[in-house]
Amino acid sequence: SCCEDKSEESYRQLLQSLFTHATKNNIVLNPSTILIDFEQEMVNAINDKKIKKYNLVTLSKQENIRRQIANIIALPLIPPNEVNNCMEKIIDELCNYDTKFEKLTDYVIKNYIEDARFPVQMWNHFDTIGQRPRTNNHLEGYHRQLNARVRTNPDLWTWINEV
């Protein structure tokens, strides 16, 4: 990331600098969509750290439970209007096995489903399948090349000039 502390204020300053640079150089910034790296949040919600934190390691090895965890990971690929129903089915399945899964499903609901920290429109890819990449792997490759060209921790203007 180009923001060392990854705080909201740092990102605001970065965007303001980008807008200022674009205006100064007669560049029109008007993207129809923006692809940013949200999948890590989703992965963190259901990866081994959460599974271990909630003492679900043994349970998560069962095939039927692994299937429901995979279904949580697949939520970004289903129609947005079906996310709630799918999550309800996942909750029913997981909580029928063990109530310990309530903490995991509560986390997903709080962050991605109901009154979510990240609204469905922000992370769901269904409407853009075929229009743009589902991952940011191409951006990761560009970022790796950029890091090879630019010294470690460049100031903002050096970074902008290289971009």
Side-chain angles (χ1 to χ4, degrees):
S1 171
C2 55
C3 294
E4 288 182 35
D5 66 2
K6 297 184 181 184
S7 70
E8 184 175 336
E9 182 58 30
S10 292
Y11 283 114
R12 286 181 196 274
Q13 290 174 2
L14 171 68
L15 289 173
Q16 185 56 52
S17 295
L18 179 63
F19 294 141
T20 301
H21 180 77
T23 302
K24 183 177 173 183
N25 292 288
N26 296 321
I27 299 170
V28 177
L29 297 177
N30 189 20
S32 60
T33 61
I34 298 172
L35 179 63
I36 56 178
D37 191 0
F38 276 109
E39 70 269 19
Q40 190 59 50
E41 286 288 334
M42 180 61 98
V43 170
N44 286 344
I46 56 180
N47 72 6
D48 286 341
K49 291 177 186 172
K50 291 289 180 194
I51 299 293
K52 287 176 185 173
K53 178 180 177 181
Y54 300 141
N55 297 317
L56 302 173
V57 175
T58 304
L59 291 171
S60 68
K61 293 180 181 177
Q62 296 176 25
E63 181 58 33
N64 46 1
I65 292 173
R66 292 184 74 73
R67 169 66 49 208
Q68 296 310 317
I69 291 172
N71 287 342
I72 292 173
I73 294 171
L75 287 174
L77 305 176
I78 64 171
N81 61 336
E82 294 179 26
V83 169
N84 285 341
N85 290 336
C86 290
M87 191 62 200
E88 285 178 22
K89 290 176 184 176
I90 293 167
I91 291 169
D92 288 344
E93 289 289 323
L94 286 176
C95 292
N96 281 340
Y97 297 116
D98 197 304
T99 56
K100 290 180 183 176
F101 283 103
E102 287 179 11
K103 290 181 181 178
L104 177 65
T105 56
D106 286 350
Y107 176 88
V108 175
I109 289 170
K110 177 182 174 189
N111 284 282
Y112 300 99
I113 311 295
E114 296 175 2
D115 297 323
R117 181 173 159 202
F118 304 109
V120 172
Q121 301 79 9
M122 188 180 278
W123 54 262
N124 188 278
H125 294 281
F126 181 80
D127 292 331
T128 60
I129 291 175
Q131 296 175 6
R132 68 178 206 188
R134 291 184 299 182
T135 69
N136 66 354
N137 291 344
H138 62 292
L139 297 175
E140 297 290 343
Y142 173 78
H143 189 226
R144 194 170 23 265
Q145 289 177 351
L146 182 63
N147 282 338
R149 288 196 330 252
V150 180
R151 65 181 166 80
T152 304
N153 298 321
D155 61 71
L156 180 61
W157 297 114
T158 302
W159 184 82
I160 288 174
N161 286 332
E162 284 297 325
V163 174

